[in-house]
Amino acid sequence: THGHMQGGCYEFPMARAPLAAELAFPEYPSVRAGIVRWPMSVIRLRSANKDELLALADVILDAWRAYSDPSALVFAETDGVPHNTVTPIARRRDGDFELDLVLRNNLTTPEHPLGLYHPHEALHHIKKENIGLIEVMGLAVLPARLKDELNGVAQALVRGDDLRADETLAKHADWAEQLRARYAFTEENVHELLRQEVGAVFATVLEHAGVFKCTPQGREAFMKFVQSV
């Protein structure tokens, strides 16, 4: 994903994302609302009335903190540990106040001990760390180790070397083999192709962090929460 400069400031990709569905909260008539077309689960509120916008945001936050839907693997708490919160992002938009509420959940499972809504193990060679505010908005913050590691992967892809023979690069071997099957790597194209493919991994990281997936079943579960509000 790519942001762009607007008015001399960087605009994050999520700020540019349109609504996938409009929502109505009749008790807050000044607030326009919707679900954002984004890999993570985002409710966008917009209004010229800051107090009414914040009041609705509080209602949504309180509802989400208490919300469970076992069929969607959403649990407000397990064994007394709370799981649900939001990442809030606020901005001004043409004189209005706009607030994106990103639904988050830190549930862990035996298969995903770092978190069900966290980068899954197959992606840990690129991104194992938590998804922070900047990443939620679409700008990848990648570990510094990748600078040297990806240079090593690039050299191995061009030469045809076996990454498993290098202790540092071995974790990238499965990914590299998939890339070899899709591209003919050269010195001229390898770095740009790797940059694009790391971006694709990051997009999948955001999908893993989304509580309600961008599928018909996921959207139905998302709307079930909205209706509870």
Side-chain angles (χ1 to χ4, degrees):
T1 52
H2 299 279
H4 76 310
M5 300 299 291
Q6 179 169 322
C9 297
Y10 180 82
E11 186 176 41
F12 285 92
M14 195 175 80
R16 300 175 59 198
L19 297 183
E22 294 187 357
L23 305 175
F25 295 94
E27 294 184 15
Y28 303 88
S30 80
V31 181
R32 287 162 286 170
I35 293 173
V36 180
R37 190 179 301 280
W38 194 247
M40 299 183 72
S41 304
V42 187
I43 296 175
R44 177 169 292 163
L45 308 178
R46 179 172 174 175
S47 178
N49 185 324
K50 181 169 65 173
D51 292 337
E52 195 161 290
L53 182 146
L54 290 175
L56 175 55
D58 279 342
V59 168
I60 293 171
L61 173 59
D62 289 343
W64 179 240
R65 282 175 170 163
Y67 187 75
S68 292
D69 180 359
S71 66
L73 294 177
V74 174
F75 299 92
E77 61 86 22
T78 55
D79 299 324
V81 177
H83 296 306
N84 294 347
T85 189
V86 303
T87 298
I89 297 123
R91 65 182 74 89
R92 295 301 298 269
R93 178 87 69 186
D94 299 327
D96 288 343
F97 299 94
E98 189 170 88
L99 183 62
D100 286 347
L101 300 175
V102 187
L103 307 184
R104 309 296 299 273
N105 180 288
N106 65 1
L107 178 70
T108 60
T109 67
E111 296 79 13
H112 301 290
L114 295 181
L116 178 60
Y117 306 107
H118 179 90
H120 291 178
E121 187 174 355
L123 307 183
H124 285 181
H125 67 105
I126 298 292
K127 178 67 173 176
K128 184 177 181 178
E129 298 78 8
N130 289 330
I131 305 302
L133 176 65
I134 300 300
E135 293 159 302
V136 165
M137 294 191 286
L139 183 63
V141 180
L142 297 170
R145 62 175 171 80
L146 281 182
K147 185 174 182 180
D148 290 334
E149 289 178 11
L150 290 178
N151 283 332
V153 171
Q155 292 177 10
L157 288 172
V158 171
R159 297 172 182 171
D161 295 343
D162 180 7
L163 273 74
R164 289 184 173 82
D166 186 308
E167 183 178 351
T168 301
L169 302 181
K171 59 179 169 289
H172 298 293
D174 289 345
W175 180 57
E177 287 180 1
Q178 295 171 19
L179 299 182
R180 276 192 178 122
R182 294 166 50 200
Y183 300 110
F185 287 103
T186 67
E187 290 280 1
E188 291 72 29
N189 70 14
V190 65
H191 292 288
E192 177 59 21
L193 288 173
L194 280 181
R195 188 187 70 82
Q196 293 176 15
E197 290 299 324
V198 169
V201 170
F202 177 67
T204 305
V205 164
L206 290 186
E207 292 174 5
H208 288 180
V211 177
F212 300 117
K213 305 308 179 188
C214 297
T215 63
Q217 296 84 359
R219 185 51 47 84
E220 182 180 355
F222 200 160
M223 290 303 300
K224 185 177 176 182
F225 166 65
V226 170
Q227 289 159 5
S228 79
V229 178

